[in-house]
Amino acid sequence: MEKQPKTRWHCLLGKLLEELLVPVGISVYTEFSVMSEPPKTDILLLRRETSGWSPEQAERLPDGIRDSRAEHILLEFKYTESVNDNALRQTLCYDFFTNVPRNLKIIRFGLF
């Protein structure tokens, strides 16, 4: 039996967020390397390019993110997986491997 190609849901979500957020000055990255070498992850990175969310940006962002003062927002997208212990550990690893090499202070980085 031939294996079906994996649906890359995070790319679809990323394109939607690009349409909504890039016009108001928020960069969206659908493939973001969290380490100097692979693997790449199914995460999204939103990077605020201003000192705070503008009203126009805030109205397009989901609850929680719009209230965050972080400049870098890492989204772990779980469409087909349940949130479980392994998913939480994996997300914490992304947080660690994104923050440490870039020396981001915790207030500048948000994980959702």
Side-chain angles (χ1 to χ4, degrees), residues 13-32 43-50 52-53 57 61 65 70-75:
L13 176 64
K15 287 298 179 189
L16 175 65
L17 288 175
E18 281 179 9
E19 292 293 320
L20 288 171
L21 302 177
V22 168
V24 294
I26 301 172
S27 301
V28 178
Y29 302 87
T30 56
E31 295 288 337
F32 180 74
I43 58 174
L44 302 165
L45 177 71
L46 308 178
R47 185 173 293 144
R48 191 179 71 227
E49 298 173 358
T50 57
W53 301 118
Q57 291 172 331
L61 292 166
I65 293 175
E71 297 167 12
H72 306 268
I73 306 287
L74 189 67
L75 302 171

Side-chain angles (χ1 to χ4, degrees), residues 9-10 13 42-43 75-84 86-88 90-91 94:
W9 293 108
H10 72 288
L13 176 64
D42 292 345
I43 58 174
L75 302 171
E76 169 62 347
F77 186 54
K78 294 291 183 202
Y79 179 76
T80 57
E81 284 181 65
S82 295
V83 175
N84 56 36
N86 283 337
L88 293 173
Q90 182 181 18
T91 304
Y94 298 157

